[in-house]
Amino acid sequence: MTQSHSRISKAVIPAAGLGTRFLPATKATPKEMLPVVDKPAIQYVVEEAVSAGLDDVLMITGRNKRPLEDHFDRNYELESALEKKGDAERLAKVQESSDLATMHYVRQGDPRGLGHAVLCAAPHVGNEPFAVLLGDDLIDPRDPLLRRMIEVQEQHGGSVVALMEVAPEQIHLYGCAAVEATADGDVVKVTGLVEKPDPADAPSGYAIIGRYVLDPGIFGILRETEPGRGGEIQLTDALQQLAQDEKVGGPVHGVVFKGRRYDTGDRGDYLRAIVRLACEREDLGPDFRTWLRSYVAEEMQQP
């Protein structure tokens, strides 16, 4: 079913989580502000939204998240000090984050799950499709996943989720989609969704990763969605209803992603993301790779 609608321009980034897996670092510092090389993780996510043409960004925050607002705001004292020192390179880096997009913020209040966080965006989004980007997933800018998802939404209407095939023993960590093939090799129609199923009960090996393009009809469903797994309002449960009844907000499609994704939600994966991104940097990569090879070689010789 093809629907006519306005061009998607708004992105929603839920960032109200407590970051308990990174304690004690996140006791006073938001998890989203932890650096990935020399930029906070959240800046990579905003940059991805902007590169896909979404220049209106709403961040769903909570208590102790003020540093997120400060990071994307001007810091006149710091800028003045750098300007006086003639440090144009660092001045440009400082100003870059405040010039990225038009930023908005709303507090979630009660931590009632991802579905509730998305529902907090309803007054800002209004009656138009919008994107949701989760901060734990960093997508390499060379793999324009979000742009492709927007194209699919414009073609088919409804909602679009990002899918990645994972090993059976990992599917219980994700929402999982039952799918049907379409004429496009990287696009599937989603017929059902299950939040964190047991491997034996998983309808496929396709896991939902942290990118969504949603029809505004999702808000009405979320308002009526009862708490599910973990006692939270699950976005997956609301998308399951959309997949079952296209009259509410159109079909649900999935874009199967096979590109580069960096997971910063787990401590081990966070460290691996830093190493991978540092190795690919033109300014850091050559020296860092040389040191890394030497370090690994030394470790291999240890008894």
Side-chain angles (χ1 to χ4, degrees):
M1 177 174 63
T2 302
Q3 300 174 344
S4 61
H5 46 69
S6 59
R7 170 74 182 178
I8 299 173
S9 64
K10 294 178 180 177
V12 174
I13 302 177
L18 298 176
T20 53
R21 284 180 289 183
F22 284 82
L23 286 170
T26 50
K27 179 181 178 181
T29 302
K31 176 190 67 174
E32 297 83 5
M33 289 300 297
L34 295 179
V36 180
V37 187
D38 55 3
K39 283 193 299 190
I42 195 68
Q43 184 170 333
Y44 289 89
V45 179
V46 174
E47 289 173 349
E48 180 188 349
V50 172
S51 69
L54 312 182
D55 55 4
D56 184 320
V57 177
L58 174 68
M59 204 167 288
I60 312 298
T61 67
R63 293 187 60 193
N64 302 322
K65 299 287 186 169
R66 182 60 185 270
L68 293 171
E69 299 183 35
D70 291 341
H71 179 72
F72 292 101
D73 199 359
R74 297 291 299 272
N75 187 328
Y76 294 102
E77 295 84 357
L78 177 58
E79 292 177 26
S80 177
L82 292 172
E83 191 171 9
K84 289 178 181 178
K85 291 173 61 177
D87 195 339
E89 181 179 356
R90 288 188 173 87
L91 176 61
K93 289 181 178 180
V94 168
Q95 293 175 332
E96 180 183 14
S97 59
S98 58
D99 296 336
L100 272 174
T102 301
M103 302 294 299
H104 308 271
Y105 304 90
V106 64
R107 286 198 174 194
Q108 183 177 5
D110 296 330
R112 297 171 58 194
L114 176 58
H116 180 257
V118 171
L119 184 56
C120 291
H124 180 79
V125 169
N127 190 33
E128 60 183 89
F130 62 104
V132 175
L133 299 86
L134 305 190
D136 286 347
D137 283 328
L138 305 187
I139 304 299
D140 194 292
R142 293 168 293 184
D143 300 311
L145 169 63
L146 186 57
R147 189 178 294 276
R148 175 59 176 150
M149 293 175 67
I150 292 172
E151 291 175 353
V152 173
Q153 200 279 338
E154 290 176 340
Q155 179 182 359
H156 297 284
S159 299
V160 183
V161 298
L163 302 175
M164 177 175 278
E165 195 163 13
V166 301
E169 60 270 18
Q170 293 182 316
I171 198 66
H172 72 283
L173 301 173
Y174 300 88
C176 178
V179 302
E180 295 177 352
T182 72
D184 293 321
D186 64 335
V187 178
V188 293
K189 184 175 182 180
V190 176
T191 59
L193 293 155
V194 182
E195 179 67 19
K196 298 182 178 178
D198 291 330
D201 299 326
S204 75
Y206 287 118
I208 304 171
I209 59 175
R211 297 295 181 270
Y212 308 81
V213 177
L214 301 176
D215 183 274
I218 195 78
F219 294 131
I221 294 177
L222 286 170
R223 292 187 184 99
E224 303 298 325
T225 299
E226 296 293 329
R229 191 179 181 94
E232 298 181 335
I233 297 174
Q234 298 290 346
L235 180 60
T236 304
D237 292 342
L239 285 167
Q240 162 72 354
Q241 291 192 46
L242 286 180
Q244 291 181 328
D245 185 0
E246 295 185 8
K247 292 181 292 185
V248 177
V252 179
H253 285 85
V255 170
V256 179
F257 182 62
K258 297 181 180 180
R260 288 155 284 202
R261 166 180 172 256
Y262 311 106
D263 185 353
T264 62
D266 172 84
R267 289 175 300 173
D269 288 335
Y270 169 75
L271 293 174
R272 284 185 279 272
I274 292 174
V275 171
R276 289 171 66 183
L277 288 170
C279 284
E280 295 181 358
R281 287 268 295 262
E282 292 183 1
D283 56 339
L284 298 173
D287 289 341
F288 185 68
R289 288 194 299 269
T290 298
W291 172 84
L292 189 60
R293 292 190 189 99
S294 175
Y295 174 76
V296 172
E298 291 176 5
E299 286 296 301
M300 292 289 289
Q301 294 174 2
Q302 296 295 325

